[in-house]
Amino acid sequence: MVKLNKIYTRTGDDGTTGLGTGARVVKYDLRVMAYGSVDEANAAIGIARLHLADEPALDAILNRVQNDLFDLGADLCTPAAANEGPGDALRIVPAQVDRLEHDIDALNGELSPLTSFVLPGGSPAAAHLHLARTICRRAEREMVALSHSAEEAVGRPAIQYMNRLSDLLFVASRFANGHGVRDVLWVPGGGR
């Protein structure tokens, strides 16, 4: 159970922050950057949701995603121990990835096929979902970089989750654009 009585602790005044294990690391540590980007993506999704009053099914999906992103933040801020057993730490699990794939397929099934790349825009919800998508891609890159660092581990389902989430946010942006009707399509060389 999370209990936050005091918001400031002054423990980060020296440029460090605490991981879920209690270890202190510098605030520019790749692990901290990764879960910071996950948090940023979550905030961008929250802004997009403000514009989804007419799309309750999509809003419900994104509500679940926001909770999953807190799970992912907990996963990333708690480095895996060598002797970690199932349930010792909150981790992203394959079922969460599978759920995203199901949601992608369901939303995409209501959209017409694309004939061009889509520019971020159309409706406010779609524009914010595109922003969230790009933040997810950054978080994914940071997670992959972390997973390739010496003595660092990131669970495969966590990386898969971020990869699928950016796909979901792309499809969600089209869904929020009147099921693709208000998509702004790229016109190659159109600005010449």
Side-chain angles (χ1 to χ4, degrees), residues 128-143:
H128 287 294
L129 289 166
H130 276 290
L131 178 60
R133 174 185 57 78
T134 64
I135 296 167
C136 282
R137 287 290 189 204
R138 177 176 7 108
E140 180 187 8
R141 290 189 302 270
E142 290 166 345
M143 291 167 61

Side-chain angles (χ1 to χ4, degrees), residues 19-102:
L19 297 178
T21 59
R24 306 270 322 157
V25 297
V26 293
K27 290 186 178 186
Y28 57 84
D29 183 90
L30 192 52
R31 181 171 295 279
V32 177
M33 291 173 60
Y35 67 72
S37 292
V38 168
D39 190 36
E40 188 179 346
N42 202 342
I45 291 169
I47 294 171
R49 289 184 64 208
L50 295 175
H51 302 280
L52 290 174
D54 295 336
E55 295 290 356
L58 178 56
D59 186 58
I61 290 169
L62 295 175
N63 179 66
R64 190 189 70 254
V65 164
Q66 285 191 286
N67 281 280
D68 283 352
L69 289 175
F70 261 80
D71 290 353
L72 180 56
D75 184 328
L76 290 171
C77 89
T78 309
N83 60 348
E84 182 176 296
D88 286 350
L90 184 57
R91 302 285 178 214
I92 293 294
V93 296
Q96 288 168 293
V97 177
D98 294 343
R99 182 62 189 257
L100 286 180
E101 291 177 354
H102 173 269

